[in-house]
Amino acid sequence: MSESGNVYQADEITDDDVTRFTDDAGNTVEYVEYDGLHQPLYELKLGAVPDFRSNIKRIQGMACRESDVFICAYPKSGTHWVWEITRMLVKGTTEYEKESKETVTNEFHLPKEFDTIPSPRVFNTHLPFRHLPKDIARRKCKMIFIQRNPKDVAVSFFNHTKNFDYLFYNGDWEHYLKLFLSETIFYQGWFQYTKEWEAVIADNPPIDFLTLYYEDLTKDPLAEIAKIGTFLGVPFDNTFVAAIAEKCSFKNLKTANVSKEYSFSSNQQIDVGLMFRKGKVGDWKNWFTVSQSEEFDNVYRNKMKDSNFQYTFSLV
Ligand code: A3P
């Protein structure tokens, strides 16, 4: 990290390190790959986040505390939402966190930056399980795995890609969807990520996992928040749960986050409020054509044929 405290020095990048994916319309995205993860070249050159190629190893070696909680989710599955709820539960407060959740996203920082955070620490990450600290199992940290139906994830990720220009993708929805289906997008593909998590959970490691669904949290926030509280073993009652649900409703959480900015580097501020776009189940119907939906279903059926996960694509 540089003197400014927020710019990271990337490892050496040669042309051979750069993977380029081009969509059917000729729009190209450029990544540096590390063990199946795609990190945007621009973000690396900017020093916006640490280089995955060296930082993942540091993260795997990070010392954990027994009270640490990890919120794990594929991007755009409701990470900000569940992080704020979890934070309120473990801290016993309905005050919003002043800092953005990006300040405790594991892969956006060097592990040593978290040393001074008082316990209990609530991290969040989009990394696959194999890239997370080995110490999680030893310390028996709690892990919350959030899932969301992948059609809404694809739409939300496309809008994220448009809103945050560090990804440098200029293509439209039609072409982005092809990248999503071929799993050549930022981080890694949804199918690959989800199948890997399913295998990890099925393997029954000595870790407490709670799997949550975005759609369940939308349908019955009180029950789902109480479920998280029980899982964490924190004290709560119905009044506290109702107050958290109100504070973390889409509208209120968006308003609370609009004033938050996260500095990814000295050159780049992101408006955290943009992460709160629409907050609906089934918005994909406003984006997918019938044939896109059929194509998605075919890929889904094929790639997820051995999966036991079930998703809710619509609440009506
Ligand atoms: P949309 O783009 O579909 O609106 P993440 O936090 O993992 O980046 O996920 C972002 C998605 O979660 C966005 O989806 C965002 O609007 C939605 N979201 C955030 N807070 C929410 C809330 N309180 N209720 C419902 N959806 C929420």
Side-chain angles (χ1 to χ4, degrees):
M1 200 167 33
S2 78
E3 290 298 298
S4 71
N6 61 1
V7 179
Y8 302 93
Q9 181 70 48
D11 304 344
E12 190 192 346
I13 305 169
T14 66
D15 206 47
D16 287 349
D17 296 323
V18 180
T19 311
R20 292 182 177 85
F21 297 116
T22 304
D23 70 19
D24 294 351
N27 298 293
T28 299
V29 278
E30 294 183 308
Y31 300 112
V32 172
E33 190 172 334
Y34 173 76
D35 190 24
L37 286 187
H38 302 133
Q39 181 165 28
L41 177 64
Y42 172 74
E43 177 187 275
L44 262 181
K45 284 190 170 162
L46 195 66
V49 301
D51 194 321
F52 284 176
R53 292 171 297 170
S54 45
N55 202 40
I56 299 295
K57 296 186 192 87
R58 288 190 207 104
I59 294 171
Q60 289 167 322
M62 177 179 131
C64 295
R65 305 177 195 160
E66 273 163 27
S67 56
D68 287 344
V69 180
F70 289 82
I71 313 280
C72 308
Y74 190 78
K76 314 322 292 172
S77 301
T79 325
H80 287 76
W81 189 12
V82 174
W83 176 75
E84 194 79 55
I85 291 171
T86 304
R87 242 206 77 262
M88 288 184 179
L89 282 164
V90 299
K91 304 250 164 164
T93 177
T94 52
E95 291 296 312
Y96 297 113
E97 176 61 76
K98 286 186 193 57
E99 305 277 4
S100 74
K101 88 149 185 59
E102 285 71 17
T103 58
V104 281
T105 301
N106 294 88
E107 59 272 27
F108 293 171
H109 300 275
L110 306 175
K112 67 178 181 195
E113 293 174 61
F114 302 130
D115 285 352
T116 52
I117 299 178
S119 300
R121 302 180 295 187
V122 182
F123 294 111
N124 67 91
T125 178
H126 302 311
L127 293 176
F129 181 78
R130 68 180 189 281
H131 291 158
L132 294 180
K134 304 288 171 222
D135 220 16
I136 287 176
R138 196 164 69 91
R139 298 279 176 202
K140 300 211 175 339
C141 304
K142 293 206 166 4
M143 306 194 88
I144 299 177
F145 175 51
I146 318 166
Q147 298 229 63
R148 184 180 191 188
N149 85 68
K151 286 183 175 172
D152 279 333
V153 168
V155 168
S156 185
F157 215 171
F158 170 68
N159 281 284
H160 177 104
T161 304
K162 289 295 190 187
N163 282 340
F164 299 102
D165 59 2
Y166 62 92
L167 293 168
F168 274 104
Y169 178 66
N170 295 318
D172 59 15
W173 161 245
E174 178 191 345
H175 297 106
Y176 179 83
L177 181 59
K178 293 206 185 315
L179 294 181
F180 188 91
L181 290 175
S182 62
E183 310 207 52
T184 51
I185 54 175
F186 178 31
Y187 276 101
Q188 64 181 134
W190 179 89
F191 301 94
Q192 194 191 337
Y193 175 91
T194 304
K195 285 192 289 189
E196 189 173 329
W197 271 98
E198 184 167 14
V200 167
I201 294 169
D203 199 33
N204 215 9
I207 296 173
D208 275 347
F209 286 108
L210 173 68
T211 300
L212 289 182
Y213 286 86
Y214 178 99
E215 293 78 13
D216 292 344
L217 196 52
T218 305
K219 219 168 31 187
D220 194 348
L222 299 181
E224 294 302 300
I225 294 169
K227 197 192 276 180
I228 302 172
T230 304
F231 171 73
L232 296 170
V234 296
F236 65 89
D237 59 17
N238 290 346
T239 312
F240 185 40
V241 165
I244 294 178
E246 174 62 17
K247 281 292 197 89
C248 294
S249 70
F250 178 77
K251 193 165 149 279
N252 288 340
L253 205 50
K254 182 179 173 85
T255 307
N257 276 274
V258 162
S259 55
K260 288 185 190 176
E261 277 200 337
Y262 179 70
S263 172
F264 258 118
S265 75
S266 49
N267 297 330
Q268 197 188 43
Q269 297 278 329
I270 66 156
D271 172 357
V272 180
L274 285 175
M275 299 281 182
F276 299 77
R277 186 185 62 94
K278 204 161 180 185
K280 295 273 182 247
V281 176
D283 185 42
W284 64 269
K285 290 178 201 160
N286 297 316
W287 291 80
F288 281 69
T289 62
V290 172
S291 74
Q292 285 170 348
S293 182
E294 283 169 2
E295 186 188 351
F296 194 104
D297 293 344
N298 282 336
V299 173
Y300 180 91
R301 263 194 298 276
N302 178 26
K303 293 197 176 188
M304 301 302 283
K305 60 180 180 305
D306 298 322
S307 172
N308 291 316
F309 287 147
Q310 301 277 334
Y311 299 96
T312 305
F313 289 88
S314 170
L315 287 181
V316 285

